[in-house]
Amino acid sequence: MAVKRKQTWQFKNDIYLSSTGTATGPKEAQGPLSSYFDQSYDDLYCGEDSWELAERRLMEDAVMACLKKANQAASSVDLYLAGDLLNQIVTANFSAKKLQIPYLGMFGACSTSMETLAVGAALVDAGFIDRAIAAVSSHNATAERQFRNPTEYGGPKPPTSESTVTGAGAGLISREASPVKITEATIGKVFDWGIKDANDMGSAMAPAAADTIASHLTQTGREVSDYDLILTGDLSSVGTPILKELLYERGYDISSVHQDCGLMVYRPDQKVFAGGSGCACSAVVTYGYIVDELTRGNLQRVLVVATGSLHSPTMVQQKEALPTIAHGVVLEAAGGGES
Amino acid sequence: MAVKLNNPADYKQNIKPYQPKPKVFRNCIRAFWTGGLICAFGQLIANFYVTFFDFTETTAGNPTTATLILIASLLTGFGVYDKIGQFAGAGSLVPVTGFANSITSAALEHKSEGLVLGVATNLFKLAGAVIVFGVVAAYVVGLIRLLFKALIT
């Protein structure tokens, strides 16, 4: 008899998201959620000489904001779990050098935000560490260089393409009581349903998100109505209706509780094609807006499903389909927060 | 419940209704008039060189191209050309200005990696394919022309 797989982790202890920090670029600061970000730059270079340095600045700013709010020094944090979209996750690596916190780099493309949060919470729950920081970053111009064409290149983009969010988000995980609890995590499997167009990640990632959400609901025995919000990372205006239909066919109607970070971070008139994407997309929305709503008690239980496309430009050119993944983390209001 | 979208084998086909359709006709119209506008502007520059400098209609071609390249490169540097490109598509991609944009944008992009290994190495990252196929096509067409000439005379 096959042993039942443990895909959803239910934390035994009370694990908290003690504090969060966010930093963003100019376009995000003009978006509807700007008041929830700790810091925003009005220039893509963020006062640095290159875009890579700008992304690193955003990452460090987010971590420092997170530490400051928790009134902690970097030396009191046991583990730094971080990732980004660049080759060899250099932003995370170099920020770890500066922070001098024991470090594990992680890559899950745009799903890294919830990947780092889930692993951090599990390690704190298991008692190996007391405090961990989960952080991710992405930058529109560095991602363009990494995955697409030079930023100033005049080739037109199709309407299904997404715009990478410039920003970074960090969260401090510990067992010290705070208004936001981390209760469960569902680790996703990799899917490839034949989408080969790297300019259409919403369509490619929807099946992965659908599987993670359906698995989570089955394994926890909950209904869709047990959640105030099911939040996906960056499915955009193309992937969102596909996800709803995929889950509706499986017997879950999420349309009343679903939102997508990629559609929340920008206004519709900001010329971002299908919506926002990138590690920072789900991170700045979750660590900024969602955490604030949980703290105020406007939301009680939220399933954040960060979606990621794990392709590389080489694999796309070799005509491989996009492998996609989605990781879910449940955040709950612990009550007693300042409102 | 009918399982339609949840079938991985036909997923790519079945999601078509959810994807925004490319506005082919609108894009063609835009490409036509913007491309035409760039060419008309080029003609204006050529006439300028013929009228005010010592150029004939044939020799004015080189300074005209150089001027268009300069303008396109400046517009790329000021961050305008990519916005024109998003609107015009092939209209601004096909003329020599598009070629200049592909080279300048690559140079700007890789400036942070140094002059030799950054700018020089990556300068023809996008334009390289155009040059390769341009040269190859010139050889093929030249051979065909030679063949015809040999057969006819």
PDB file of all heavy atoms in Angstrom, chain A residues 29-54:
ATOM      1  N   ALA A  29       5.300  52.277  -6.874  1.00  0.00           N
ATOM      2  CA  ALA A  29       4.938  53.365  -5.971  1.00  0.00           C
ATOM      3  C   ALA A  29       3.791  54.208  -6.530  1.00  0.00           C
ATOM      4  O   ALA A  29       3.104  54.900  -5.792  1.00  0.00           O
ATOM      5  CB  ALA A  29       6.145  54.259  -5.718  1.00  0.00           C
ATOM      6  N   GLN A  30       3.602  54.129  -7.855  1.00  0.00           N
ATOM      7  CA  GLN A  30       2.469  54.839  -8.462  1.00  0.00           C
ATOM      8  C   GLN A  30       1.227  53.962  -8.493  1.00  0.00           C
ATOM      9  O   GLN A  30       0.153  54.400  -8.895  1.00  0.00           O
ATOM     10  CB  GLN A  30       2.827  55.246  -9.900  1.00  0.00           C
ATOM     11  CG  GLN A  30       3.871  56.342  -9.969  1.00  0.00           C
ATOM     12  CD  GLN A  30       4.594  56.369 -11.306  1.00  0.00           C
ATOM     13  OE1 GLN A  30       4.167  55.738 -12.260  1.00  0.00           O
ATOM     14  NE2 GLN A  30       5.691  57.097 -11.367  1.00  0.00           N
ATOM     15  N   GLY A  31       1.367  52.704  -8.079  1.00  0.00           N
ATOM     16  CA  GLY A  31       0.249  51.757  -8.105  1.00  0.00           C
ATOM     17  C   GLY A  31      -0.680  51.952  -6.913  1.00  0.00           C
ATOM     18  O   GLY A  31      -0.411  52.755  -6.020  1.00  0.00           O
ATOM     19  N   PRO A  32      -1.763  51.177  -6.894  1.00  0.00           N
ATOM     20  CA  PRO A  32      -2.777  51.363  -5.848  1.00  0.00           C
ATOM     21  C   PRO A  32      -2.329  50.972  -4.440  1.00  0.00           C
ATOM     22  O   PRO A  32      -2.944  51.373  -3.473  1.00  0.00           O
ATOM     23  CB  PRO A  32      -3.939  50.484  -6.317  1.00  0.00           C
ATOM     24  CG  PRO A  32      -3.381  49.568  -7.338  1.00  0.00           C
ATOM     25  CD  PRO A  32      -2.170  50.207  -7.916  1.00  0.00           C
ATOM     26  N   LEU A  33      -1.258  50.159  -4.317  1.00  0.00           N
ATOM     27  CA  LEU A  33      -0.853  49.683  -2.989  1.00  0.00           C
ATOM     28  C   LEU A  33       0.317  50.478  -2.405  1.00  0.00           C
ATOM     29  O   LEU A  33       0.917  50.072  -1.414  1.00  0.00           O
ATOM     30  CB  LEU A  33      -0.471  48.194  -3.059  1.00  0.00           C
ATOM     31  CG  LEU A  33      -1.562  47.233  -3.551  1.00  0.00           C
ATOM     32  CD1 LEU A  33      -1.034  45.805  -3.560  1.00  0.00           C
ATOM     33  CD2 LEU A  33      -2.798  47.321  -2.676  1.00  0.00           C
ATOM     34  N   SER A  34       0.656  51.605  -3.030  1.00  0.00           N
ATOM     35  CA  SER A  34       1.886  52.313  -2.644  1.00  0.00           C
ATOM     36  C   SER A  34       1.961  52.634  -1.152  1.00  0.00           C
ATOM     37  O   SER A  34       3.034  52.590  -0.553  1.00  0.00           O
ATOM     38  CB  SER A  34       2.011  53.601  -3.454  1.00  0.00           C
ATOM     39  OG  SER A  34       0.910  54.430  -3.190  1.00  0.00           O
ATOM     40  N   SER A  35       0.832  52.930  -0.516  1.00  0.00           N
ATOM     41  CA  SER A  35       0.877  53.339   0.893  1.00  0.00           C
ATOM     42  C   SER A  35       1.274  52.182   1.815  1.00  0.00           C
ATOM     43  O   SER A  35       1.581  52.401   2.981  1.00  0.00           O
ATOM     44  CB  SER A  35      -0.473  53.905   1.309  1.00  0.00           C
ATOM     45  OG  SER A  35      -1.467  52.917   1.147  1.00  0.00           O
ATOM     46  N   TYR A  36       1.260  50.943   1.302  1.00  0.00           N
ATOM     47  CA  TYR A  36       1.611  49.792   2.140  1.00  0.00           C
ATOM     48  C   TYR A  36       3.099  49.441   2.079  1.00  0.00           C
ATOM     49  O   TYR A  36       3.560  48.559   2.773  1.00  0.00           O
ATOM     50  CB  TYR A  36       0.788  48.566   1.732  1.00  0.00           C
ATOM     51  CG  TYR A  36      -0.693  48.765   1.944  1.00  0.00           C
ATOM     52  CD1 TYR A  36      -1.525  49.161   0.896  1.00  0.00           C
ATOM     53  CD2 TYR A  36      -1.261  48.581   3.209  1.00  0.00           C
ATOM     54  CE1 TYR A  36      -2.875  49.356   1.096  1.00  0.00           C
ATOM     55  CE2 TYR A  36      -2.618  48.773   3.417  1.00  0.00           C
ATOM     56  CZ  TYR A  36      -3.414  49.164   2.361  1.00  0.00           C
ATOM     57  OH  TYR A  36      -4.755  49.363   2.569  1.00  0.00           O
ATOM     58  N   PHE A  37       3.846  50.122   1.221  1.00  0.00           N
ATOM     59  CA  PHE A  37       5.267  49.794   1.082  1.00  0.00           C
ATOM     60  C   PHE A  37       6.102  50.649   2.041  1.00  0.00           C
ATOM     61  O   PHE A  37       5.829  51.825   2.232  1.00  0.00           O
ATOM     62  CB  PHE A  37       5.741  50.012  -0.360  1.00  0.00           C
ATOM     63  CG  PHE A  37       4.949  49.241  -1.378  1.00  0.00           C
ATOM     64  CD1 PHE A  37       4.656  49.781  -2.619  1.00  0.00           C
ATOM     65  CD2 PHE A  37       4.502  47.953  -1.083  1.00  0.00           C
ATOM     66  CE1 PHE A  37       3.905  49.061  -3.553  1.00  0.00           C
ATOM     67  CE2 PHE A  37       3.755  47.224  -2.013  1.00  0.00           C
ATOM     68  CZ  PHE A  37       3.456  47.790  -3.243  1.00  0.00           C
ATOM     69  N   ASP A  38       7.147  50.027   2.631  1.00  0.00           N
ATOM     70  CA  ASP A  38       7.970  50.755   3.587  1.00  0.00           C
ATOM     71  C   ASP A  38       8.831  51.804   2.915  1.00  0.00           C
ATOM     72  O   ASP A  38       9.109  52.853   3.469  1.00  0.00           O
ATOM     73  CB  ASP A  38       8.869  49.774   4.356  1.00  0.00           C
ATOM     74  CG  ASP A  38       8.039  48.847   5.205  1.00  0.00           C
ATOM     75  OD1 ASP A  38       7.158  49.343   5.927  1.00  0.00           O
ATOM     76  OD2 ASP A  38       8.245  47.624   5.136  1.00  0.00           O
ATOM     77  N   GLN A  39       9.305  51.456   1.710  1.00  0.00           N
ATOM     78  CA  GLN A  39      10.191  52.385   1.025  1.00  0.00           C
ATOM     79  C   GLN A  39       9.998  52.269  -0.480  1.00  0.00           C
ATOM     80  O   GLN A  39       9.777  51.174  -1.004  1.00  0.00           O
ATOM     81  CB  GLN A  39      11.649  52.056   1.366  1.00  0.00           C
ATOM     82  CG  GLN A  39      12.610  53.091   0.857  1.00  0.00           C
ATOM     83  CD  GLN A  39      13.991  52.903   1.454  1.00  0.00           C
ATOM     84  OE1 GLN A  39      14.240  51.938   2.161  1.00  0.00           O
ATOM     85  NE2 GLN A  39      14.872  53.823   1.178  1.00  0.00           N
ATOM     86  N   SER A  40      10.057  53.392  -1.168  1.00  0.00           N
ATOM     87  CA  SER A  40       9.958  53.357  -2.626  1.00  0.00           C
ATOM     88  C   SER A  40      10.947  54.343  -3.225  1.00  0.00           C
ATOM     89  O   SER A  40      11.202  55.396  -2.648  1.00  0.00           O
ATOM     90  CB  SER A  40       8.539  53.738  -3.071  1.00  0.00           C
ATOM     91  OG  SER A  40       7.646  52.722  -2.733  1.00  0.00           O
ATOM     92  N   TYR A  41      11.505  53.945  -4.360  1.00  0.00           N
ATOM     93  CA  TYR A  41      12.424  54.824  -5.071  1.00  0.00           C
ATOM     94  C   TYR A  41      11.715  55.405  -6.286  1.00  0.00           C
ATOM     95  O   TYR A  41      10.911  54.731  -6.910  1.00  0.00           O
ATOM     96  CB  TYR A  41      13.665  54.045  -5.519  1.00  0.00           C
ATOM     97  CG  TYR A  41      14.566  53.662  -4.374  1.00  0.00           C
ATOM     98  CD1 TYR A  41      14.382  52.460  -3.700  1.00  0.00           C
ATOM     99  CD2 TYR A  41      15.577  54.508  -3.950  1.00  0.00           C
ATOM    100  CE1 TYR A  41      15.196  52.106  -2.636  1.00  0.00           C
ATOM    101  CE2 TYR A  41      16.394  54.161  -2.890  1.00  0.00           C
ATOM    102  CZ  TYR A  41      16.201  52.963  -2.235  1.00  0.00           C
ATOM    103  OH  TYR A  41      17.008  52.626  -1.185  1.00  0.00           O
ATOM    104  N   ASP A  42      12.049  56.656  -6.620  1.00  0.00           N
ATOM    105  CA  ASP A  42      11.417  57.239  -7.801  1.00  0.00           C
ATOM    106  C   ASP A  42      12.286  57.094  -9.042  1.00  0.00           C
ATOM    107  O   ASP A  42      12.051  57.723 -10.060  1.00  0.00           O
ATOM    108  CB  ASP A  42      11.044  58.714  -7.562  1.00  0.00           C
ATOM    109  CG  ASP A  42      12.221  59.521  -7.041  1.00  0.00           C
ATOM    110  OD1 ASP A  42      13.350  58.999  -7.125  1.00  0.00           O
ATOM    111  OD2 ASP A  42      12.014  60.639  -6.551  1.00  0.00           O
ATOM    112  N   ASP A  43      13.300  56.219  -8.950  1.00  0.00           N
ATOM    113  CA  ASP A  43      14.205  56.005 -10.070  1.00  0.00           C
ATOM    114  C   ASP A  43      14.565  54.514 -10.091  1.00  0.00           C
ATOM    115  O   ASP A  43      14.798  53.915  -9.036  1.00  0.00           O
ATOM    116  CB  ASP A  43      15.460  56.870  -9.855  1.00  0.00           C
ATOM    117  CG  ASP A  43      16.560  56.527 -10.815  1.00  0.00           C
ATOM    118  OD1 ASP A  43      16.256  56.365 -12.003  1.00  0.00           O
ATOM    119  OD2 ASP A  43      17.721  56.420 -10.384  1.00  0.00           O
ATOM    120  N   LEU A  44      14.606  53.919 -11.299  1.00  0.00           N
ATOM    121  CA  LEU A  44      14.877  52.478 -11.414  1.00  0.00           C
ATOM    122  C   LEU A  44      16.273  52.106 -10.912  1.00  0.00           C
ATOM    123  O   LEU A  44      16.536  50.966 -10.564  1.00  0.00           O
ATOM    124  CB  LEU A  44      14.734  52.022 -12.864  1.00  0.00           C
ATOM    125  CG  LEU A  44      13.411  51.367 -13.296  1.00  0.00           C
ATOM    126  CD1 LEU A  44      13.557  50.817 -14.696  1.00  0.00           C
ATOM    127  CD2 LEU A  44      12.980  50.256 -12.353  1.00  0.00           C
ATOM    128  N   TYR A  45      17.194  53.081 -10.918  1.00  0.00           N
ATOM    129  CA  TYR A  45      18.552  52.796 -10.452  1.00  0.00           C
ATOM    130  C   TYR A  45      18.661  52.833  -8.924  1.00  0.00           C
ATOM    131  O   TYR A  45      19.685  52.422  -8.373  1.00  0.00           O
ATOM    132  CB  TYR A  45      19.546  53.800 -11.053  1.00  0.00           C
ATOM    133  CG  TYR A  45      19.950  53.473 -12.483  1.00  0.00           C
ATOM    134  CD1 TYR A  45      19.392  54.136 -13.559  1.00  0.00           C
ATOM    135  CD2 TYR A  45      20.891  52.478 -12.733  1.00  0.00           C
ATOM    136  CE1 TYR A  45      19.762  53.836 -14.858  1.00  0.00           C
ATOM    137  CE2 TYR A  45      21.269  52.170 -14.026  1.00  0.00           C
ATOM    138  CZ  TYR A  45      20.705  52.848 -15.088  1.00  0.00           C
ATOM    139  OH  TYR A  45      21.078  52.535 -16.370  1.00  0.00           O
ATOM    140  N   CYS A  46      17.650  53.342  -8.243  1.00  0.00           N
ATOM    141  CA  CYS A  46      17.629  53.399  -6.770  1.00  0.00           C
ATOM    142  C   CYS A  46      18.907  54.035  -6.216  1.00  0.00           C
ATOM    143  O   CYS A  46      19.415  53.617  -5.162  1.00  0.00           O
ATOM    144  CB  CYS A  46      17.436  52.020  -6.160  1.00  0.00           C
ATOM    145  SG  CYS A  46      16.010  51.137  -6.813  1.00  0.00           S
ATOM    146  N   GLY A  47      19.463  54.993  -6.937  1.00  0.00           N
ATOM    147  CA  GLY A  47      20.666  55.676  -6.470  1.00  0.00           C
ATOM    148  C   GLY A  47      21.951  54.884  -6.655  1.00  0.00           C
ATOM    149  O   GLY A  47      23.003  55.272  -6.153  1.00  0.00           O
ATOM    150  N   GLU A  48      21.906  53.779  -7.399  1.00  0.00           N
ATOM    151  CA  GLU A  48      23.094  52.945  -7.610  1.00  0.00           C
ATOM    152  C   GLU A  48      23.584  53.089  -9.058  1.00  0.00           C
ATOM    153  O   GLU A  48      22.939  53.735  -9.882  1.00  0.00           O
ATOM    154  CB  GLU A  48      22.758  51.479  -7.324  1.00  0.00           C
ATOM    155  CG  GLU A  48      22.280  51.209  -5.904  1.00  0.00           C
ATOM    156  CD  GLU A  48      23.413  51.272  -4.881  1.00  0.00           C
ATOM    157  OE1 GLU A  48      24.577  51.186  -5.300  1.00  0.00           O
ATOM    158  OE2 GLU A  48      23.110  51.401  -3.688  1.00  0.00           O
ATOM    159  N   ASP A  49      24.742  52.454  -9.353  1.00  0.00           N
ATOM    160  CA  ASP A  49      25.331  52.602 -10.680  1.00  0.00           C
ATOM    161  C   ASP A  49      24.790  51.617 -11.715  1.00  0.00           C
ATOM    162  O   ASP A  49      24.891  51.847 -12.909  1.00  0.00           O
ATOM    163  CB  ASP A  49      26.862  52.430 -10.593  1.00  0.00           C
ATOM    164  CG  ASP A  49      27.493  53.618  -9.879  1.00  0.00           C
ATOM    165  OD1 ASP A  49      26.891  54.709  -9.935  1.00  0.00           O
ATOM    166  OD2 ASP A  49      28.555  53.447  -9.262  1.00  0.00           O
ATOM    167  N   SER A  50      24.284  50.489 -11.270  1.00  0.00           N
ATOM    168  CA  SER A  50      23.749  49.517 -12.223  1.00  0.00           C
ATOM    169  C   SER A  50      22.440  48.965 -11.688  1.00  0.00           C
ATOM    170  O   SER A  50      22.121  49.108 -10.512  1.00  0.00           O
ATOM    171  CB  SER A  50      24.746  48.373 -12.450  1.00  0.00           C
ATOM    172  OG  SER A  50      24.763  47.518 -11.329  1.00  0.00           O
ATOM    173  N   TRP A  51      21.699  48.314 -12.579  1.00  0.00           N
ATOM    174  CA  TRP A  51      20.408  47.761 -12.169  1.00  0.00           C
ATOM    175  C   TRP A  51      20.587  46.596 -11.193  1.00  0.00           C
ATOM    176  O   TRP A  51      19.766  46.385 -10.306  1.00  0.00           O
ATOM    177  CB  TRP A  51      19.620  47.324 -13.397  1.00  0.00           C
ATOM    178  CG  TRP A  51      19.091  48.483 -14.159  1.00  0.00           C
ATOM    179  CD1 TRP A  51      18.515  49.609 -13.629  1.00  0.00           C
ATOM    180  CD2 TRP A  51      19.077  48.678 -15.563  1.00  0.00           C
ATOM    181  NE1 TRP A  51      18.134  50.460 -14.617  1.00  0.00           N
ATOM    182  CE2 TRP A  51      18.470  49.922 -15.818  1.00  0.00           C
ATOM    183  CE3 TRP A  51      19.507  47.902 -16.647  1.00  0.00           C
ATOM    184  CZ2 TRP A  51      18.275  50.414 -17.109  1.00  0.00           C
ATOM    185  CZ3 TRP A  51      19.316  48.394 -17.915  1.00  0.00           C
ATOM    186  CH2 TRP A  51      18.717  49.639 -18.146  1.00  0.00           C
ATOM    187  N   GLU A  52      21.668  45.852 -11.370  1.00  0.00           N
ATOM    188  CA  GLU A  52      21.920  44.739 -10.446  1.00  0.00           C
ATOM    189  C   GLU A  52      22.147  45.285  -9.036  1.00  0.00           C
ATOM    190  O   GLU A  52      21.663  44.719  -8.054  1.00  0.00           O
ATOM    191  CB  GLU A  52      23.144  43.925 -10.903  1.00  0.00           C
ATOM    192  CG  GLU A  52      22.868  42.985 -12.084  1.00  0.00           C
ATOM    193  CD  GLU A  52      22.681  43.710 -13.412  1.00  0.00           C
ATOM    194  OE1 GLU A  52      23.051  44.895 -13.530  1.00  0.00           O
ATOM    195  OE2 GLU A  52      22.140  43.080 -14.347  1.00  0.00           O
ATOM    196  N   LEU A  53      22.908  46.393  -8.950  1.00  0.00           N
ATOM    197  CA  LEU A  53      23.143  47.009  -7.633  1.00  0.00           C
ATOM    198  C   LEU A  53      21.842  47.591  -7.077  1.00  0.00           C
ATOM    199  O   LEU A  53      21.609  47.560  -5.865  1.00  0.00           O
ATOM    200  CB  LEU A  53      24.198  48.104  -7.749  1.00  0.00           C
ATOM    201  CG  LEU A  53      25.631  47.640  -7.991  1.00  0.00           C
ATOM    202  CD1 LEU A  53      26.547  48.829  -8.243  1.00  0.00           C
ATOM    203  CD2 LEU A  53      26.149  46.823  -6.813  1.00  0.00           C
ATOM    204  N   ALA A  54      21.004  48.100  -7.992  1.00  0.00           N
ATOM    205  CA  ALA A  54      19.719  48.656  -7.559  1.00  0.00           C
ATOM    206  C   ALA A  54      18.851  47.567  -6.927  1.00  0.00           C
ATOM    207  O   ALA A  54      18.232  47.770  -5.882  1.00  0.00           O
ATOM    208  CB  ALA A  54      18.998  49.280  -8.744  1.00  0.00           C
TER     209      ALA A  54
END
